[in-house]
Amino acid sequence: MDQFLSKPIEAAALWAAVERLGRCWSTPRGGSFLVASGLLDRGVILQACDGQAELLHKLLVVLRKTLPNHLSRVQTAFGAGDFATLREASHSLAGTVGAFSTAASDMALTLEDEAVRHDLESCTVLVGRLASMCDALLEENRHANDRFVEVVKDRTP
C-alpha cells in the first residue's frame, strides 16, 4: 500500500514513510550490506539513494549532522520522564536512521511503542541499546562513505 502524506510535508513524516515502504521492497542483490556493526542494510541504502552516488553522499552527511541531535532529544525526553516527547523523538529518530539501518529503525519504533505504554523498564533498556546502535552507525558512517559509493556505482547501468 502506498504511504500518504498531506501537505505541508514534514521531514520526519517523509523519512518514516520512506522507511516503512523500504521494508516492503525487495533487497537488491539479496541480503544486507555486511559491515562490522551489522547494522547497515544494503537494500535499504540502495533504495534510499536510488542508485545515485551523489544522493548517497548527501544522505550520509545528513545522517552525520542530524543523528546526534535526534539521539540527544530521545535521551533528554527519557531523562525527564516525558513519554510524549520520547515517543515523538523516537519516531523522528526512526525516520532518520531508516535510510541506513532497518535494525536501528525498528529499535526506535519499538521505543516509540513502549513510550506510548509508559513502560519505564522497557524504555530504559531500549534507550541504552538505541544509543549504542546510533554510535555504531555514526562510526560506520565515518569510515564507510567510499565503500557505500562503490556499492552504488556497481549498481548503476
Side-chain angles (χ1 to χ4, degrees), residues 37-111:
S37 71
L39 289 174
L40 297 170
D41 186 319
R42 176 188 176 137
V44 171
I45 293 167
L46 291 172
Q47 289 290 340
C49 70
D50 195 30
Q52 299 176 34
E54 185 177 322
L55 180 55
L56 175 59
H57 177 72
K58 288 178 182 178
L59 288 172
L60 288 166
V61 169
V62 168
L63 180 70
R64 204 169 25 247
K65 288 183 178 181
T66 62
L67 185 54
N69 292 334
H70 283 291
L71 180 59
S72 176
R73 187 166 174 238
V74 165
Q75 292 170 322
T76 300
F78 174 72
D82 183 350
F83 287 103
T85 302
L86 179 59
R87 183 198 63 77
E88 292 171 11
S90 299
H91 185 84
S92 294
L93 192 143
T96 298
V97 299
F100 295 94
S101 174
T102 303
S105 180
D106 287 347
M107 181 71 66
L109 293 173
T110 301
L111 176 58

